[in-house]
Amino acid sequence: MLSVALRRSLSVMMLLPTSVALAGPLAFDPTGIPQFTGSVAFNASNQLLVDLDYAVFAPGVYPDDGVNGDDPSNGAEYVYAYQAFNRTASTRALTTVSVGLVNDQTGAHNAVPDPLHVLTGGVLPSSMEVNLVSLSVITRFLNPPVPAGGYSSVFLFTSPNRPTYMTTSVLSGGLVDTQMAPSPLPEPATFGLLALGGLVVLRRRRA
């Protein structure tokens, strides 16, 4: 028998519109940076409905005990963690999550799954890569994809740099939807050069 509290929670979830993300435990992790912990809903043509949970952890905070989590930076860097939930209303399986990068100086690396963290038992990525050509961290679920009603394992990457928000996409075949999710800022010196370059261009235009 389901408890009264659980039945009420399930009833509320069933009444929520598809634009509202149905978050799992990663989205409420109290050890994540508050401004960069949450969930975002994706809707690609009403066929691919995905909730992407995310949390960014300050250096040394993400679990690294081999039981509750595995930080590939060994506590030295920020951990950018995500978990995808493909809603039961989806008619397509989720095959790719792509987290955008500001530029090629964000320090993003160590892209790996972490099947130990929070809600376990999810679909493991087929591959993960930091792609400096497309400026994105690409996580693919190809064998198998994440089915409707299913969810992925936690997948993550690390960076020495603090977070901002960048465009992030979910894909299935030709279907794609793009929202915003956490991503690292460029190295401070590089970010300063970008701002200076923009200022120079602006001054030239005014001249």
Side-chain angles (χ1 to χ4, degrees):
M1 294 290 291
L2 293 175
S3 68
V4 173
L6 181 56
R7 287 201 301 269
R8 287 176 178 172
S9 297
L10 290 174
S11 298
V12 170
M13 289 175 66
M14 291 174 66
L15 292 172
L16 286 172
T18 56
S19 60
V20 177
L22 302 178
L26 184 66
F28 298 103
D29 195 315
T31 63
I33 299 173
Q35 302 91 327
F36 297 96
T37 301
S39 188
V40 58
F42 295 80
N43 184 335
S45 302
N46 289 320
Q47 298 179 59
L48 180 65
L49 307 172
V50 173
D51 299 312
L52 183 68
D53 291 2
Y54 56 81
V56 180
F57 299 84
V61 173
Y62 190 83
D64 191 29
D65 56 9
V67 176
N68 300 300
D70 187 9
D71 177 358
S73 76
N74 296 317
E77 298 183 337
Y78 288 91
V79 173
Y80 292 75
Y82 310 84
Q83 188 167 30
F85 295 80
N86 195 5
R87 294 195 181 193
T88 55
S90 289
T91 59
R92 300 285 290 270
L94 172 66
T95 60
T96 307
V97 177
S98 177
V99 178
L101 300 174
V102 177
N103 63 19
D104 61 357
Q105 300 297 315
T106 61
H109 64 146
N110 289 328
V112 294
D114 185 3
L116 300 176
H117 192 58
V118 293
L119 186 60
T120 60
V123 176
L124 286 168
S126 304
S127 65
M128 291 187 68
E129 64 170 316
V130 178
N131 191 315
L132 297 183
V133 175
S134 64
L135 292 179
S136 57
V137 180
I138 303 171
T139 303
R140 297 183 178 89
F141 301 93
L142 302 177
N143 188 26
V146 181
Y151 61 93
S152 74
S153 71
V154 169
F155 51 97
L156 58 84
F157 60 90
T158 70
S159 169
N161 300 332
R162 59 190 177 88
T164 184
Y165 277 87
M166 270 294 289
T167 53
T168 296
S169 302
V170 299
L171 301 92
S172 178
L175 290 176
V176 60
D177 186 35
T178 299
Q179 302 292 336
M180 302 292 285
S183 179
L185 282 164
E187 295 178 358
T190 304
F191 198 67
L193 288 174
L194 287 173
L196 181 61
L199 184 60
V200 169
V201 170
L202 182 61
R203 285 179 175 174
R204 285 178 178 173
R205 286 179 178 174
R206 288 179 176 175

